[in-house]
Amino acid sequence: MNKIDNFTNQYSLSKTLRFKLIPVGETLERFNMKKLLEEDEHRAESYSKVKKLMDDYHREFIEQSFRNFEKSENFGNFADVVKDYSNLYYKTGKDKNDKNEMKKTEESM
């Protein structure tokens, strides 16, 4: 037994296969004629720009909704209802009355 035998075949060998799609025949001509790759690149660039705008808009909409909700007269009442519901939800050994109260609270929210 050689000294190198202690170091070989100790672990399984992992290989990664890579494939590449290469247009054959008229396919390349059609890609070039319809400019599909350029359209996809433009769409990818536009998507990243629009996504940032939409994320900012959505974030602002949510913040504005919360600001308006906090200013409304129902905020205090809603906070109390949520607190009561959470107490019922986390209560161990709920009976039938507790479950009915939870359903009523869910409907009112």
Side-chain angles (χ1 to χ4, degrees), residues 26-66:
E26 294 180 14
T27 307
L28 180 61
E29 294 171 16
R30 291 183 183 168
F31 264 87
N32 292 336
M33 186 173 63
K34 294 187 178 185
K35 299 182 181 181
L36 294 175
L37 295 177
E38 290 85 1
E39 289 177 10
D40 283 347
E41 289 172 355
H42 175 68
R43 189 176 298 117
E45 291 171 8
S46 299
Y47 172 79
S48 63
K49 292 176 185 175
V50 171
K51 173 126 176 60
K52 289 178 185 176
L53 290 172
M54 292 302 294
D55 287 346
D56 291 341
Y57 175 77
H58 192 237
R59 188 177 302 106
E60 180 61 31
F61 176 78
I62 291 171
E63 288 175 2
Q64 183 181 4
S65 298
F66 279 133

Side-chain angles (χ1 to χ4, degrees), residues 60-74:
E60 180 61 31
F61 176 78
I62 291 171
E63 288 175 2
Q64 183 181 4
S65 298
F66 279 133
R67 276 186 251 124
N68 292 340
F69 184 71
E70 287 175 348
K71 292 176 185 175
S72 73
E73 59 194 42
N74 296 330

Side-chain angles (χ1 to χ4, degrees), residues 6-38:
N6 294 333
F7 297 103
T8 59
N9 296 324
Q10 296 295 315
Y11 303 101
S12 63
L13 182 62
S14 170
K15 292 184 180 182
T16 302
L17 300 176
R18 296 179 189 208
F19 297 99
K20 186 175 181 182
L21 295 174
I22 300 172
V24 178
E26 294 180 14
T27 307
L28 180 61
E29 294 171 16
R30 291 183 183 168
F31 264 87
N32 292 336
M33 186 173 63
K34 294 187 178 185
K35 299 182 181 181
L36 294 175
L37 295 177
E38 290 85 1

